[in-house]
Amino acid sequence: MEDKNQKKGKPIKRRDFLKGFGGGAMGAAVAPKFLVQEKKTISTKEGNIPVYSKKKISLIVNGKKHTLSVKPRDTLLDVLREKLNLTGPKRICNHGECGGCTVLLDAQPVYSCMFLAVRADGQKITTVEGLAKGGNLHSIQKAFIEKDGYQCGFCTSGFIMSSLALLQRNKKPNLEEIKQAFSGNLCRCGNYFKIYDAVSEAAKKMRGA
Amino acid sequence: MAEKKFNKKKESSPLSYHEEYRDKKTPQPQKTPSPEKERFTLISGYTPRIDGERIVTGKAPFTHDINLRGLLYGKILRSPHACAQIISMDLTKAKNLPGVKAVLQLKKEKVQYVGEQVAAVAAVNEFIAEKALKMIEVEYKTLPFVVTEEEAMKKDSPRVHENSNVQKFSDYSRGDVEKGYQEAHAVLEKTFKTEIEIHHPTETHGSVAKWEGDRLVVWDSTQAIHNVRNGLAKALNIPQSQVKVIKKYMGGGFGSKLGLNDYTMAAAKLAKITHNPVKIILSRKENSLTVGNRPSSIQTLKGGVKKDGTITSLSLINYTSGGIGRGDRCSEPMIDIYRCPHIKVNEYTVYTHTGPSRPTRAPGHVQGTFALESFLDELAAEIDMDPLELRKKNYTTKNEGGTGIPYSSKGLDQCYQIGAQKIGWHRRNKIPGQSNGRFRKGIGMGTQIWWGVGRPETLADVMLHPDGSVEAICGTQDLGTGTRTYMAVIPADTLGLKPQDITVKIGNTSYPWCGASGGSTTTPSVAPAIRDAAVKARDYLKKMAAEKLEIDSKNIGVADRKFFNQNNPNQSITFKELTEDLSREKVFHGEYVGRPSGYAYNTFGAHFAEVEVDTQTGKIKVIKVIAVHEIGRVMNKQTAESQVVGGITQGVSTALFEGRVMDPSIGTVLNPNLIDYKLATSYDSPEIEIHFVDIVDPRINNLGTKGLGEPPRIPIAAAISNAVYNAVGIHVKETPMTPDKVLQTLKEKEA
Ligand code: FES
Ligand code: FES
């Protein structure tokens, strides 16, 4: 699972990962202060340690700041979908296998189903809902419509977010680079061939060509 | 349970296609619609999806996205055993967990596969619901089980149902196959295998149920809202009029969402008990275990051919396994595609203790075509004939399977011609496997037949409002195939409007009846019905315009949001001016009444594939595919092309990657996820070129259009298989053609 996020975004080191987790034996050494402490403790080999149930975090989602209290186990995907009502990111596998939940963390695409919300504290997140500006669709969105880069549309926000990440770092990707950018996205309807077209078209639009 | 109910329904049974679509021999005096004379501006063009913006902005409401006030989350406890007796079940601990609102026992006696539902929980969040599942105490008495076809076929293996695990479910014969073999110059026998596949739609199955008093509203990820409504009403013993099923957007189904599901029933029951809406969304693992699969097949084909390419005899023995459900009839392509006087078929289901099968995009045809078309290339090689010539030699223009009636339209010859030219058929190895080196290229093709007719009695409305706005309404569903868009295109074309002028309403059982979206039936059902309604609306407006313009309504033309005098285009009235004279909204009812008998209605196509085989690693790469289809008049090429692209990608996936793997020791699925169950990815899509033969079926309906859902899914695995044969001189004979099998096959060839 770490590999997947690594490929698509900032490498997550195991140590960081553990730090992000409050509660449980793993968190014992680094029990973060910002967690809301419950009265309960659990006993471990290292003695009694407190159990933390919630943490206050702030997320800057599509340019808007939200302050939320989340459980350590809550994934970024669930927080976006359930608490912020952003239904663009989809839960297709919930295990880092499909890319349906892809969002951008700063400029990096990440699987939000594999990303604990507490780790995103204070960071900028872009979902597919944040692309259109003032009623104008983003070039990528326009290109997906023009080239029919979808069928059922369930994988589409993931593909659009991966496209955005690609086109932000590569203005003129070739076919191999496009395929590579989607190595973490599955489309069961199988519309890859049309999606390649959509991305090339989007690149053209974004270059103003 | 659900499977049984599901099979009883004629319109959703995987085996009913044969009966349902078989065309009637006796001509009846029915009006032929003659759609070939009609000229259109938008139909058959490239119209982007009218709901594209909702999709690309993440706003299209899928069932997963339904969120209601007071929503509870349901989870299902599933059997960990492949076969077991439930001795007792204690729900107390689960019920007492804070946050749990209801716990239900769903199964009392026997479980027959890992993943079968036994109990359900509704709780305030998913986490608590999951936790509660673990607190349900079930005592099982485990029983002997069998999960692989090979084992299940043995005499002394544990029985899945009362009778033997091997049951004949289909046979067919014409002529005398033995006589045919005697007449042949070459006779061959080969066995082909296909693996069980899982549908894996991106949106896992799920429902949200809510009671409003005695009235039940269900949001369901389904291909068939009316089936689900009728199923719920029957199972809950409430009137159909008290059940409403809604499906706005769905993330794929491919045949696995055609009927009422038992988790939907569970959601409805939990919602009733708790007085709160309940949402049950299956996990990816549950999708792998319990909501359908494409049955496997072990097909032994025998065939005889004369030196001139005449096929004299064909026979098929098929063992097909769909778990506790039935296998797929794989013989249809053999029975229907070619002129062959002697055919004999016997098909057997092999029952195992695994999840029940469901129709999977082109049930039986995907497996049958892979075997038949691969086999034909071997027959051709036996007599040194070009495999495409062999197919042309045995071409037929009438239904061979029994009725002998002519096809209303059949453009397969053109599919062959266009495909061969575009792929450069002459480039192929004249003798299969004649090329050398580590990387070997080959070209192959496969033929497709499917039905693609509409369901009679499909209804659709066109509503004109006095302010000039227009609605197109039908109780159908858009699976991502573009139904919504052509429902705007057709009335727009008919009324001289733009697609964006039409508001399309679908996916609600309150709308006019339409059947399940499956079997390539949606377009030939919905399109003619909506056209019928639109023509009525147009004629009504023409009359109004004729009065205003004081001319004969025969001379009225429609275009550019205007009704005009065809003899003097300057004399016109706008659509909006016309509708202003309506005192209220006006509804025009359309219906697709059915097709005239006396003709056979089928879709045809051919795929041509070029592949490269790495003989060192056994990896197959599909380089290019040319797809040519004859589906009558295409409603919207923009979305039709995507359907073909999708069919090809899924077919590549069948040919090279997909297969459910069982653990025979514990009886569970070993790859119930999207990592170990390999699907085609963005790296695996070949270059694709698509052509539609320019034919309008003159009789099938008022637009001359047939369905396209299954056709592009059918011939691709065979085309790849034959291309591999052309490259290396031997068929791999088994899907998925994974590198290990390729290397093994190459070894066999050397030996
Ligand atoms: S839902 Fe996150 S990767 Fe599949
Ligand atoms: S469009 Fe349906 S899964 Fe990609």
Side-chain angles (χ1 to χ4, degrees), chain A residues 90-94 96-101 111 113:
Chain A
K90 298 292 188 228
R91 191 203 265 188
I92 294 175
C93 70
N94 215 23
E97 300 164 353
C98 75
C101 60
Y111 286 167
C113 75

PDB file of all heavy atoms in Angstrom, chain A residues 90-94 96-101 111 113, ligand 1:
ATOM      1  N   LYS A  90     -14.420   8.634  -5.583  1.00  0.00           N
ATOM      2  CA  LYS A  90     -15.254   7.444  -5.405  1.00  0.00           C
ATOM      3  C   LYS A  90     -14.531   6.360  -4.624  1.00  0.00           C
ATOM      4  O   LYS A  90     -13.303   6.232  -4.699  1.00  0.00           O
ATOM      5  CB  LYS A  90     -15.639   6.866  -6.773  1.00  0.00           C
ATOM      6  CG  LYS A  90     -16.462   7.816  -7.631  1.00  0.00           C
ATOM      7  CD  LYS A  90     -17.839   8.048  -7.074  1.00  0.00           C
ATOM      8  CE  LYS A  90     -18.722   8.830  -8.019  1.00  0.00           C
ATOM      9  NZ  LYS A  90     -19.430   9.931  -7.383  1.00  0.00           N
ATOM     10  N   ARG A  91     -15.336   5.561  -3.952  1.00  0.00           N
ATOM     11  CA  ARG A  91     -14.773   4.418  -3.244  1.00  0.00           C
ATOM     12  C   ARG A  91     -15.056   3.174  -4.094  1.00  0.00           C
ATOM     13  O   ARG A  91     -16.156   2.627  -4.065  1.00  0.00           O
ATOM     14  CB  ARG A  91     -15.449   4.293  -1.875  1.00  0.00           C
ATOM     15  CG  ARG A  91     -14.739   3.302  -0.967  1.00  0.00           C
ATOM     16  CD  ARG A  91     -15.707   2.800   0.077  1.00  0.00           C
ATOM     17  NE  ARG A  91     -15.618   3.551   1.328  1.00  0.00           N
ATOM     18  CZ  ARG A  91     -16.276   3.161   2.430  1.00  0.00           C
ATOM     19  NH1 ARG A  91     -17.041   2.083   2.411  1.00  0.00           N
ATOM     20  NH2 ARG A  91     -16.183   3.856   3.526  1.00  0.00           N
ATOM     21  N   ILE A  92     -14.081   2.786  -4.849  1.00  0.00           N
ATOM     22  CA  ILE A  92     -14.255   1.652  -5.753  1.00  0.00           C
ATOM     23  C   ILE A  92     -13.702   0.379  -5.128  1.00  0.00           C
ATOM     24  O   ILE A  92     -14.320  -0.674  -5.190  1.00  0.00           O
ATOM     25  CB  ILE A  92     -13.576   1.954  -7.117  1.00  0.00           C
ATOM     26  CG1 ILE A  92     -14.307   3.116  -7.812  1.00  0.00           C
ATOM     27  CG2 ILE A  92     -13.547   0.711  -8.004  1.00  0.00           C
ATOM     28  CD1 ILE A  92     -13.672   3.598  -9.106  1.00  0.00           C
ATOM     29  N   CYS A  93     -12.529   0.499  -4.509  1.00  0.00           N
ATOM     30  CA  CYS A  93     -11.932  -0.696  -3.878  1.00  0.00           C
ATOM     31  C   CYS A  93     -11.642  -0.463  -2.407  1.00  0.00           C
ATOM     32  O   CYS A  93     -11.611  -1.388  -1.621  1.00  0.00           O
ATOM     33  CB  CYS A  93     -10.642  -1.073  -4.600  1.00  0.00           C
ATOM     34  SG  CYS A  93      -9.311   0.120  -4.327  1.00  0.00           S
ATOM     35  N   ASN A  94     -11.397   0.798  -2.042  1.00  0.00           N
ATOM     36  CA  ASN A  94     -11.049   1.183  -0.676  1.00  0.00           C
ATOM     37  C   ASN A  94      -9.716   0.597  -0.218  1.00  0.00           C
ATOM     38  O   ASN A  94      -9.450   0.554   0.973  1.00  0.00           O
ATOM     39  CB  ASN A  94     -12.165   0.770   0.296  1.00  0.00           C
ATOM     40  CG  ASN A  94     -12.320   1.775   1.429  1.00  0.00           C
ATOM     41  OD1 ASN A  94     -11.933   2.942   1.288  1.00  0.00           O
ATOM     42  ND2 ASN A  94     -12.863   1.338   2.553  1.00  0.00           N
ATOM     43  N   GLY A  96      -6.572   1.005  -2.254  1.00  0.00           N
ATOM     44  CA  GLY A  96      -5.419   1.424  -3.046  1.00  0.00           C
ATOM     45  C   GLY A  96      -5.165   0.596  -4.287  1.00  0.00           C
ATOM     46  O   GLY A  96      -4.017   0.363  -4.665  1.00  0.00           O
ATOM     47  N   GLU A  97      -6.224   0.144  -4.924  1.00  0.00           N
ATOM     48  CA  GLU A  97      -6.045  -0.721  -6.087  1.00  0.00           C
ATOM     49  C   GLU A  97      -6.562  -0.111  -7.389  1.00  0.00           C
ATOM     50  O   GLU A  97      -6.340  -0.671  -8.459  1.00  0.00           O
ATOM     51  CB  GLU A  97      -6.815  -2.044  -5.856  1.00  0.00           C
ATOM     52  CG  GLU A  97      -6.348  -2.820  -4.639  1.00  0.00           C
ATOM     53  CD  GLU A  97      -7.334  -3.895  -4.206  1.00  0.00           C
ATOM     54  OE1 GLU A  97      -8.445  -3.956  -4.762  1.00  0.00           O
ATOM     55  OE2 GLU A  97      -6.982  -4.665  -3.307  1.00  0.00           O
ATOM     56  N   CYS A  98      -7.306   1.001  -7.299  1.00  0.00           N
ATOM     57  CA  CYS A  98      -8.047   1.404  -8.499  1.00  0.00           C
ATOM     58  C   CYS A  98      -7.938   2.877  -8.879  1.00  0.00           C
ATOM     59  O   CYS A  98      -8.174   3.230 -10.021  1.00  0.00           O
ATOM     60  CB  CYS A  98      -9.520   1.074  -8.302  1.00  0.00           C
ATOM     61  SG  CYS A  98     -10.341   2.209  -7.176  1.00  0.00           S
ATOM     62  N   GLY A  99      -7.630   3.752  -7.948  1.00  0.00           N
ATOM     63  CA  GLY A  99      -7.488   5.173  -8.274  1.00  0.00           C
ATOM     64  C   GLY A  99      -8.785   5.959  -8.348  1.00  0.00           C
ATOM     65  O   GLY A  99      -8.769   7.140  -8.682  1.00  0.00           O
ATOM     66  N   GLY A 100      -9.907   5.324  -8.025  1.00  0.00           N
ATOM     67  CA  GLY A 100     -11.193   6.020  -8.098  1.00  0.00           C
ATOM     68  C   GLY A 100     -11.306   7.160  -7.096  1.00  0.00           C
ATOM     69  O   GLY A 100     -12.119   8.065  -7.257  1.00  0.00           O
ATOM     70  N   CYS A 101     -10.470   7.115  -6.071  1.00  0.00           N
ATOM     71  CA  CYS A 101     -10.541   8.082  -4.979  1.00  0.00           C
ATOM     72  C   CYS A 101      -9.459   9.141  -5.107  1.00  0.00           C
ATOM     73  O   CYS A 101      -9.213   9.880  -4.161  1.00  0.00           O
ATOM     74  CB  CYS A 101     -10.366   7.339  -3.672  1.00  0.00           C
ATOM     75  SG  CYS A 101      -8.770   6.493  -3.635  1.00  0.00           S
ATOM     76  N   TYR A 111      -4.081   8.426  -3.393  1.00  0.00           N
ATOM     77  CA  TYR A 111      -5.287   7.617  -3.167  1.00  0.00           C
ATOM     78  C   TYR A 111      -5.871   8.064  -1.833  1.00  0.00           C
ATOM     79  O   TYR A 111      -5.305   7.763  -0.782  1.00  0.00           O
ATOM     80  CB  TYR A 111      -4.918   6.138  -3.061  1.00  0.00           C
ATOM     81  CG  TYR A 111      -4.542   5.439  -4.333  1.00  0.00           C
ATOM     82  CD1 TYR A 111      -3.940   4.182  -4.284  1.00  0.00           C
ATOM     83  CD2 TYR A 111      -4.816   5.985  -5.586  1.00  0.00           C
ATOM     84  CE1 TYR A 111      -3.613   3.494  -5.442  1.00  0.00           C
ATOM     85  CE2 TYR A 111      -4.485   5.302  -6.740  1.00  0.00           C
ATOM     86  CZ  TYR A 111      -3.887   4.055  -6.677  1.00  0.00           C
ATOM     87  OH  TYR A 111      -3.566   3.373  -7.808  1.00  0.00           O
ATOM     88  N   CYS A 113      -8.309   6.991  -0.266  1.00  0.00           N
ATOM     89  CA  CYS A 113      -8.788   5.876   0.563  1.00  0.00           C
ATOM     90  C   CYS A 113      -7.650   5.286   1.383  1.00  0.00           C
ATOM     91  O   CYS A 113      -7.869   4.541   2.321  1.00  0.00           O
ATOM     92  CB  CYS A 113      -9.435   4.784  -0.291  1.00  0.00           C
ATOM     93  SG  CYS A 113      -8.282   3.759  -1.215  1.00  0.00           S
TER      94      CYS A 113
HETATM   95  S1  FES C   1     -10.879   3.464  -3.839  1.00  0.00           S
HETATM   96 FE1  FES C   1      -8.950   4.250  -3.370  1.00  0.00          FE
HETATM   97  S2  FES C   1      -7.667   3.218  -4.731  1.00  0.00           S
HETATM   98 FE2  FES C   1      -9.563   2.249  -5.022  1.00  0.00          FE
END
